[in-house]
Amino acid sequence: MKRLVFLPLCLLLAACQTSTENSLKTVDEADAKKLEEALDNGQAVVLGDVYYNAKYCPGSSITMINVATSKYRFISNGDVFSLGSDKDKAVVEPSTYRVTRVSCGDSVVKLGGDWADVLLGTDKLKKALSPTFSVKGGEVLHIGTLRINVVKKRTLISSAKVIVTREATSQDARVKTKEALAKVDRPVHFTN
Protein backbone atom coordinates (compact mmCIF):
# COMPACT_ATOMS: atom_id res chain seq x y z
CA MET A 1 0.00 0.00 0.00
CA LYS A 2 2.85 2.41 0.82
CA ARG A 3 4.35 1.84 -2.63
CA LEU A 4 1.10 2.76 -4.36
CA VAL A 5 0.98 6.09 -2.54
CA PHE A 6 4.71 6.77 -2.94
CA LEU A 7 4.87 6.26 -6.72
CA PRO A 8 2.18 8.85 -7.63
CA LEU A 9 3.77 11.29 -5.16
CA CYS A 10 7.18 10.89 -6.87
CA LEU A 11 5.60 11.38 -10.28
CA LEU A 12 3.80 14.49 -9.07
CA LEU A 13 7.00 15.96 -7.62
CA ALA A 14 8.96 15.18 -10.81
CA ALA A 15 6.28 16.88 -12.90
CA CYS A 16 6.39 19.97 -10.68
CA GLN A 17 10.16 20.26 -11.14
CA THR A 18 9.96 20.31 -14.93
CA SER A 19 10.49 23.89 -16.05
CA THR A 20 8.37 25.41 -18.77
CA GLU A 21 10.05 28.82 -18.76
CA ASN A 22 12.66 30.08 -21.18
CA SER A 23 15.99 28.60 -20.10
CA LEU A 24 18.68 30.15 -22.30
CA LYS A 25 22.14 29.12 -21.18
CA THR A 26 24.22 32.09 -19.99
CA VAL A 27 27.27 32.63 -22.18
CA ASP A 28 30.52 32.40 -20.20
CA GLU A 29 33.73 34.34 -20.95
CA ALA A 30 35.15 31.67 -23.31
CA ASP A 31 31.92 31.36 -25.32
CA ALA A 32 31.57 35.15 -25.44
CA LYS A 33 35.08 35.42 -26.91
CA LYS A 34 34.23 32.82 -29.61
CA LEU A 35 31.02 34.64 -30.48
CA GLU A 36 32.83 38.00 -30.63
CA GLU A 37 35.44 36.50 -33.01
CA ALA A 38 32.72 35.08 -35.26
CA LEU A 39 30.90 38.43 -35.29
CA ASP A 40 34.16 40.30 -36.03
CA ASN A 41 34.72 37.91 -38.98
CA GLY A 42 31.41 38.92 -40.53
CA GLN A 43 29.22 36.10 -39.26
CA ALA A 44 25.98 36.57 -37.32
CA VAL A 45 24.37 34.98 -34.26
CA VAL A 46 20.74 33.84 -34.40
CA LEU A 47 18.42 32.85 -31.52
CA GLY A 48 14.73 32.02 -31.30
CA ASP A 49 12.11 30.40 -29.09
CA VAL A 50 9.26 27.99 -29.75
CA TYR A 51 5.76 27.94 -28.29
CA TYR A 52 3.11 25.24 -28.71
CA ASN A 53 -0.16 27.17 -28.71
CA ALA A 54 0.16 29.40 -25.61
CA LYS A 55 2.91 27.47 -23.76
CA TYR A 56 6.66 27.93 -24.03
CA CYS A 57 8.36 24.75 -25.24
CA PRO A 58 11.53 24.09 -23.25
CA GLY A 59 12.51 21.04 -25.36
CA SER A 60 12.43 22.46 -28.88
CA SER A 61 14.48 22.79 -32.03
CA ILE A 62 14.53 25.03 -35.07
CA THR A 63 15.93 24.04 -38.47
CA MET A 64 16.64 26.74 -41.02
CA ILE A 65 18.14 26.83 -44.50
CA ASN A 66 20.29 29.51 -46.06
CA VAL A 67 18.26 30.43 -49.16
CA ALA A 68 21.37 31.32 -51.20
CA THR A 69 23.59 28.31 -50.38
CA SER A 70 21.05 25.66 -49.25
CA LYS A 71 23.12 25.00 -46.10
CA TYR A 72 21.12 23.94 -43.05
CA ARG A 73 21.62 25.24 -39.50
CA PHE A 74 20.01 23.89 -36.33
CA ILE A 75 19.24 25.39 -32.94
CA SER A 76 18.18 23.25 -29.98
CA ASN A 77 16.62 24.76 -26.86
CA GLY A 78 16.18 23.31 -23.39
CA ASP A 79 16.77 19.59 -22.93
CA VAL A 80 16.91 18.74 -26.63
CA PHE A 81 20.27 17.52 -27.92
CA SER A 82 20.92 16.74 -31.53
CA LEU A 83 24.16 16.09 -33.38
CA GLY A 84 25.08 19.08 -35.48
CA SER A 85 22.83 21.48 -33.59
CA ASP A 86 23.88 24.55 -31.65
CA LYS A 87 22.63 25.03 -28.11
CA ASP A 88 20.27 28.02 -27.80
CA LYS A 89 21.90 29.93 -30.69
CA ALA A 90 23.58 29.43 -34.07
CA VAL A 91 26.49 31.21 -35.70
CA VAL A 92 25.48 31.73 -39.34
CA GLU A 93 26.62 33.44 -42.53
CA PRO A 94 24.85 36.72 -43.30
CA SER A 95 21.96 35.88 -45.62
CA THR A 96 18.25 35.23 -45.84
CA TYR A 97 17.03 32.08 -44.06
CA ARG A 98 13.82 30.08 -44.26
CA VAL A 99 12.62 28.00 -41.30
CA THR A 100 12.14 24.43 -42.57
CA ARG A 101 11.30 22.54 -39.39
CA VAL A 102 10.09 23.38 -35.89
CA SER A 103 9.77 20.81 -33.12
CA CYS A 104 8.36 20.86 -29.61
CA GLY A 105 8.87 17.59 -27.80
CA ASP A 106 7.27 14.90 -29.97
CA SER A 107 5.49 17.42 -32.21
CA VAL A 108 7.39 18.08 -35.43
CA VAL A 109 6.25 20.48 -38.14
CA LYS A 110 8.03 20.29 -41.51
CA LEU A 111 7.72 23.40 -43.64
CA GLY A 112 8.49 22.24 -47.17
CA GLY A 113 11.48 20.60 -48.78
CA ASP A 114 10.31 17.13 -47.82
CA TRP A 115 10.01 14.53 -50.64
CA ALA A 116 6.44 13.73 -49.56
CA ASP A 117 5.49 17.41 -49.94
CA VAL A 118 6.95 17.43 -53.46
CA LEU A 119 4.95 14.31 -54.39
CA LEU A 120 1.72 15.67 -52.89
CA GLY A 121 2.18 19.09 -54.50
CA THR A 122 2.19 20.96 -51.18
CA ASP A 123 5.90 21.86 -51.22
CA LYS A 124 5.59 25.32 -52.82
CA LEU A 125 2.71 26.32 -50.56
CA LYS A 126 4.53 25.22 -47.40
CA LYS A 127 7.69 27.06 -48.47
CA ALA A 128 5.69 30.20 -49.22
CA LEU A 129 4.05 30.12 -45.77
CA SER A 130 7.18 29.26 -43.78
CA PRO A 131 8.80 32.02 -41.69
CA THR A 132 11.83 33.77 -43.21
CA PHE A 133 14.33 36.28 -41.86
CA SER A 134 17.48 38.08 -42.99
CA VAL A 135 20.55 38.66 -40.89
CA LYS A 136 23.57 40.92 -41.50
CA GLY A 137 27.21 40.25 -40.72
CA GLY A 138 28.14 41.19 -37.16
CA GLU A 139 24.49 41.12 -36.06
CA VAL A 140 22.98 39.29 -33.09
CA LEU A 141 19.33 38.58 -33.95
CA HIS A 142 16.52 37.02 -31.96
CA ILE A 143 14.18 35.88 -34.74
CA GLY A 144 11.14 36.01 -32.47
CA THR A 145 8.66 33.44 -31.29
CA LEU A 146 7.87 30.54 -33.60
CA ARG A 147 4.43 29.43 -32.50
CA ILE A 148 2.95 26.06 -33.45
CA ASN A 149 -0.80 26.71 -33.59
CA VAL A 150 -3.14 23.72 -33.77
CA VAL A 151 -5.86 24.48 -36.31
CA LYS A 152 -7.51 21.04 -36.26
CA LYS A 153 -6.89 18.40 -33.60
CA ARG A 154 -5.65 14.93 -34.45
CA THR A 155 -8.24 12.21 -34.93
CA LEU A 156 -8.03 8.44 -35.33
CA ILE A 157 -7.86 8.75 -39.11
CA SER A 158 -5.97 12.02 -39.66
CA SER A 159 -3.03 13.97 -38.34
CA ALA A 160 -3.41 17.31 -36.62
CA LYS A 161 -3.44 20.38 -38.84
CA VAL A 162 -1.07 23.09 -37.62
CA ILE A 163 0.42 26.34 -38.79
CA VAL A 164 3.69 27.89 -37.64
CA THR A 165 3.68 31.64 -37.19
CA ARG A 166 6.56 33.98 -36.47
CA GLU A 167 5.68 36.61 -33.90
CA ALA A 168 7.42 39.49 -32.18
CA THR A 169 9.92 38.53 -29.51
CA SER A 170 8.11 38.33 -26.17
CA GLN A 171 9.15 40.57 -23.29
CA ASP A 172 10.26 37.50 -21.31
CA ALA A 173 12.45 36.31 -24.18
CA ARG A 174 13.99 39.79 -24.51
CA VAL A 175 14.97 39.81 -20.82
CA LYS A 176 16.31 36.21 -20.88
CA THR A 177 18.28 36.85 -24.09
CA LYS A 178 19.89 40.02 -22.73
CA GLU A 179 20.83 38.18 -19.51
CA ALA A 180 22.25 35.19 -21.41
CA LEU A 181 24.32 37.34 -23.78
CA ALA A 182 25.41 39.98 -21.25
CA LYS A 183 29.10 39.15 -21.82
CA VAL A 184 28.84 39.58 -25.59
CA ASP A 185 29.63 43.21 -26.41
CA ARG A 186 27.03 43.62 -29.16
CA PRO A 187 23.46 44.86 -29.16
CA VAL A 188 20.79 42.21 -29.66
CA HIS A 189 18.21 42.95 -32.35
CA PHE A 190 14.71 41.67 -31.67
CA THR A 191 11.78 40.94 -33.96
CA ASN A 192 9.04 43.52 -33.42
Side-chain angles (χ1 to χ4, degrees):
M1 181 67 177
K2 287 181 184 177
R3 286 185 188 171
L4 292 177
V5 172
F6 183 69
L7 182 60
L9 181 61
C10 288
L11 292 174
L12 178 65
L13 289 174
C16 291
Q17 292 177 354
T18 303
S19 175
T20 57
E21 68 178 49
N22 194 328
S23 59
L24 282 176
K25 180 183 158 207
T26 301
V27 174
D28 61 17
E29 298 281 341
D31 285 341
K33 186 175 180 180
K34 289 178 190 174
L35 291 174
E36 288 283 350
E37 287 175 9
L39 292 164
D40 288 341
N41 290 329
Q43 294 182 308
V45 176
V46 175
L47 305 95
D49 55 321
V50 177
Y51 279 72
Y52 188 88
N53 288 327
K55 291 188 177 183
Y56 173 75
C57 188
S60 63
S61 66
I62 301 168
T63 304
M64 57 196 148
I65 188 170
N66 182 319
V67 174
T69 65
S70 297
K71 286 185 180 178
Y72 284 91
R73 296 296 304 171
F74 311 94
I75 302 173
S76 61
N77 296 316
D79 298 332
V80 173
F81 174 76
S82 177
L83 290 176
S85 71
D86 296 298
K87 191 71 171 157
D88 295 331
K89 62 201 162 307
V91 175
V92 300
E93 296 296 322
S95 189
T96 297
Y97 290 83
R98 182 174 57 81
V99 176
T100 60
R101 182 178 182 270
V102 178
S103 71
C104 174
D106 294 338
S107 299
V108 176
V109 182
K110 296 178 183 173
L111 303 167
D114 187 81
W115 66 269
D117 291 327
V118 174
L119 289 175
L120 294 172
T122 58
D123 187 56
K124 287 183 182 178
L125 178 62
K126 283 187 174 184
K127 285 181 178 178
L129 294 174
S130 65
T132 60
F133 62 92
S134 295
V135 64
K136 300 173 190 161
E139 184 177 31
V140 179
L141 176 69
H142 191 290
I143 64 170
T145 295
L146 298 176
R147 188 177 306 275
I148 301 171
N149 292 300
V150 177
V151 177
K152 182 179 174 189
K153 291 187 178 187
R154 181 178 159 191
T155 65
L156 291 173
I157 57 173
S158 69
S159 299
K161 304 291 185 221
V162 300
I163 188 166
V164 175
T165 57
R166 180 172 168 233
E167 302 170 3
T169 306
S170 69
Q171 195 59 38
D172 179 53
R174 288 174 187 255
V175 170
K176 299 282 184 180
T177 301
K178 286 179 181 177
E179 288 173 0
L181 297 176
K183 293 185 176 153
V184 177
D185 191 27
R186 299 287 172 111
V188 180
H189 299 270
F190 295 100
T191 301
N192 294 319

